Amino acid sequence: MTDTTDTALPREVPATKAVPPLLDASDVWSDQMVATTGIPVYDVPFVSVGGGMGSFVTVDYLRVAGNVPAEDIRVLSNLDHPWQTYEYLTRVSQLPRSRRIRSDSASRPDNLWGFPSYALQEAWRTRSLKPLTQVFLEPDFADFYTPLLGTVLDGIAREADRIRYREMLVRGEVQVVRRRDGGGYFTLLSPAGEATAGHVAFRSRDVHLAVGYPGLRFLPDMQAFRERMNDFHHVVNGYEDHEHVYQALLHRPGTVLVRGGGVVASAVLHRLITDRLEHGAETRIVHLFRTYFAGSHGPHPWARRRGRDGWAFQGFNYPKSAWGGQLRARMRRLEGAERVRMYEQIGGTTTPSRRHWRAALRVAREAGWYQQLTGKIADLRLDAAGMTATIGRADGLTNARVDYVIDCTGLNGDITEHRVLGDLLRHSGAGRNVLGRLDVGRAFDVRGTESGAGRLYATGAAAFGGYFPGVDTFLGLQLAAQDVIDDIARRGHCDHMGPASSVGRWLKWATGRQI
């Protein structure tokens, strides 16, 4: 075994082969077992696996609130920068940097204090009171204020530089995380690509998982069509790069079927409608809802959601009380079936109600080139004449001739589809929660994986279904990171940030001072 100082930790690791059989078969690894394989071992107290937004936010809290030096943290990732996947998904789902995202003004992943808010920052930058007026009037007299994607990403880039994120980043593919005999964990890392060399292992007290969604969710009809026709061109997912659809429709008339009622569906429709109204496309749109909402709906008067024209409207992913009010407090007390019922009550597919977008949709509907249907796709067929979608409705089957299908039904794959998460379930004592994701405690510690003084934490999409519902949002990642850091501080491994130190560290943030 090779023990190497932090300054010698590799930034790029060599190519890899499969996990050695001795290690692959063992639930708990000893130092001697790893030494036998010849794998180099690097010691660092805290490892974050993923390298996306969840890793960034947690590491930011650890560096700022926990006052942990960069030398004691390593982020293991195949990403060049933490916003890489997020920016890709927003771009392909028709939310470029110039568009506003679905995030609150104070939900700042680059600023754990949330001050100044995005609205205040924009008001200062543009020398306009409009953003502040919108916040004051929302949601009854104005749409919710939300920031521009470009503003958000630029702020994250600045904060990444300030906390020396790149010094903590080690590029590669994480294969497994296993408990260590004697406490703590081993994390085995290898690069993506062809297998030509070996692994490196990180021996740490704590491990944090923020690996995002396991993958795209393809509904059975879409999967069957792709497998049967070997066609990835005419039927696409909203989270895939499908720019070819819009370019083709700009050059010739066509019909596109959009399935879904969430924020991605609304963004895709906005792009299709804008291309027709402003760029001369002659596109006809068939919009398929699984559930049609004609008006407000909910189990009782105190839990109702606005709806109209098929859409369920909600400013953010969850009611605001899910992040810091009564709903959050109540959820932390619920177990089993009661927690499932609460998730069912507050969940569901929603999209923000934005006046300009609804006005454009109304124009398209009144002009007759936007049609709504309610039902499910029963079959998709492609022949020389084009593609036919057979839709099962309450009154029977109906056929629609379309040129493209854009499916906007989500990212929710099973956690066993992810290599690291699936391995945890098999070898590290992790279990599933009431909704099938990783079972975490109130501090986002993965239950059943304790290893001596070490803890394994999971935040983001993998922890959905736990005691905190809004895990896969900017504010949710921040609140989860706060719980993780508080737990590490209680265990004596980082600082508690008090009022005085908070003011001092905010001043460092405001002046851009590197830490």
Side-chain angles (χ1 to χ4, degrees):
M1 177 172 58
T2 303
D3 292 334
T4 309
T5 61
D6 287 328
T7 55
L9 288 175
R11 290 289 169 259
E12 298 287 344
V13 293
T16 182
K17 294 181 180 179
V19 179
L22 173 65
L23 300 181
D24 194 35
S26 302
D27 294 345
V28 179
W29 295 358
S30 69
D31 294 344
Q32 183 59 41
M33 287 171 58
V34 180
T36 300
T37 66
I39 294 175
V41 176
Y42 300 92
D43 285 300
V44 62
F46 186 91
V47 165
S48 182
V49 176
M53 299 295 287
S55 285
F56 168 78
V57 169
T58 302
V59 167
D60 189 50
Y61 268 72
L62 202 60
R63 294 279 286 118
V64 177
N67 200 29
V68 176
E71 293 75 17
D72 287 352
I73 303 170
R74 285 297 175 265
V75 179
L76 311 184
S77 177
N78 60 0
L79 303 176
D80 293 317
H81 44 266
W83 60 93
Q84 184 173 333
T85 298
Y86 178 74
E87 185 175 18
Y88 169 80
L89 291 173
T90 53
R91 177 179 61 81
V92 299
S93 60
Q94 306 311 304
L95 289 172
R97 280 177 169 252
S98 59
R99 291 281 301 280
R100 296 189 181 273
I101 61 174
R102 192 183 191 182
S103 185
D104 184 65
S105 175
S107 301
R108 296 199 58 159
D110 65 323
N111 176 355
L112 58 89
W113 300 271
F115 177 83
S117 67
Y118 284 122
L120 184 58
Q121 177 181 329
E122 184 175 337
W124 178 265
R125 187 183 71 249
T126 61
R127 301 294 189 270
S128 170
L129 292 176
K130 184 177 179 181
L132 299 179
T133 302
Q134 185 175 348
V135 170
F136 180 75
L137 295 176
E138 68 180 28
D140 293 327
F141 303 104
D143 293 337
F144 276 109
Y145 172 87
T146 56
L148 295 169
L149 175 60
T151 300
V152 174
L153 300 185
D154 289 344
I156 295 171
R158 285 192 298 271
E159 181 68 354
D161 289 340
R162 194 180 76 88
I163 65 173
R164 296 187 285 149
Y165 182 87
R166 287 202 63 83
E167 295 179 25
M168 298 177 276
L169 176 65
V170 181
R171 293 289 312 283
E173 295 279 352
V174 172
Q175 301 294 328
V176 296
V177 177
R178 298 285 176 90
R179 288 175 291 180
R180 173 179 174 264
D181 184 19
Y185 304 88
F186 282 105
T187 303
L188 196 64
L189 182 78
S190 62
E194 296 183 2
T196 57
H199 306 274
V200 293
F202 289 81
R203 182 171 50 197
S204 62
R205 182 194 65 242
D206 298 328
V207 172
H208 165 247
L209 302 175
V211 297
Y213 286 93
L216 293 176
R217 179 181 65 182
F218 294 102
L219 294 183
D221 54 85
M222 185 174 179
Q223 185 68 30
F225 176 87
R226 287 186 157 195
E227 292 176 355
R228 184 175 69 252
M229 305 301 299
N230 194 29
D231 187 310
F232 299 83
H233 182 81
H234 294 89
V235 177
V236 298
N237 189 286
Y239 284 106
E240 294 178 304
D241 191 349
H242 58 281
E243 181 65 23
H244 67 275
V245 174
Y246 306 104
Q247 294 303 317
L249 293 169
L250 281 171
H251 290 90
R252 62 179 182 273
T255 300
V256 58
L257 187 152
V258 177
R259 174 167 60 180
V263 64
V264 175
S266 61
V268 166
L269 288 171
H270 183 269
R271 168 70 186 272
L272 292 168
I273 292 172
T274 299
D275 281 353
R276 173 142 187 168
L277 295 178
E278 299 180 8
H279 302 294
E282 298 181 41
T283 305
R284 299 185 63 83
I285 303 167
V286 177
H287 184 195
L288 181 63
F289 289 102
R290 182 175 56 184
T291 305
Y292 186 95
F293 297 102
S296 297
H297 53 282
H300 53 77
W302 296 276
R304 294 185 67 78
R305 181 183 289 135
R306 293 173 55 209
R308 187 172 179 179
D309 300 324
W311 302 91
F313 292 124
Q314 188 166 277
F316 306 103
N317 299 64
Y318 288 96
K320 281 196 170 183
S321 61
W323 286 277
Q326 293 179 346
L327 183 55
R328 184 186 184 197
R330 182 181 177 189
M331 186 68 84
R332 290 176 74 86
R333 300 191 299 268
L334 297 180
E335 302 287 352
E338 289 185 337
R339 199 193 312 167
V340 173
R341 284 193 292 271
M342 180 56 71
Y343 269 100
E344 291 173 346
Q345 181 175 315
I346 66 176
T349 303
T350 63
T351 195
S353 174
R354 291 173 176 160
R355 287 168 172 78
H356 73 282
W357 167 74
R358 290 178 59 188
L361 204 61
R362 184 166 55 251
V363 169
R365 185 167 47 249
E366 292 175 353
W369 44 269
Y370 169 76
Q371 175 190 5
Q372 293 180 331
L373 296 174
T374 303
K376 298 180 180 179
I377 294 180
D379 188 33
L380 284 171
R381 298 185 306 279
L382 183 66
D383 53 35
M387 186 161 53
T388 301
T390 301
I391 300 170
R393 307 176 63 187
D395 57 354
L397 298 177
T398 185
N399 290 328
R401 298 290 290 183
V402 299
D403 297 283
Y404 299 97
V405 174
I406 305 178
D407 183 83
C408 305
T409 54
L411 282 166
N412 301 321
D414 188 272
I415 61 173
T416 58
E417 297 173 14
H418 192 280
R419 178 177 55 250
V420 175
L421 300 184
D423 186 81
L424 282 178
L425 293 175
R426 292 188 297 271
H427 292 284
S428 296
R432 293 176 181 263
N433 63 28
V434 294
L435 297 185
R437 308 286 179 88
L438 284 182
D439 185 22
V440 299
R442 291 174 179 82
F444 291 89
D445 49 305
V446 181
R447 287 170 165 164
T449 64
E450 300 84 358
S451 182
R455 293 293 181 271
L456 178 68
Y457 300 97
T459 61
F464 181 73
Y467 296 103
F468 176 57
V471 288
D472 194 31
T473 64
F474 285 160
L475 187 54
L477 291 174
Q478 290 178 273
L479 293 172
Q482 181 175 306
D483 285 340
V484 170
I485 303 315
D486 285 347
D487 189 62
I488 295 174
R490 282 192 296 269
R491 293 163 48 218
H493 301 302
C494 73
D495 291 349
H496 278 289
M497 187 171 69
S501 57
S502 179
V503 171
R505 292 168 195 178
W506 180 85
L507 288 173
K508 289 182 179 179
W509 177 90
T511 56
R513 180 177 172 184
Q514 191 178 70
I515 59 174

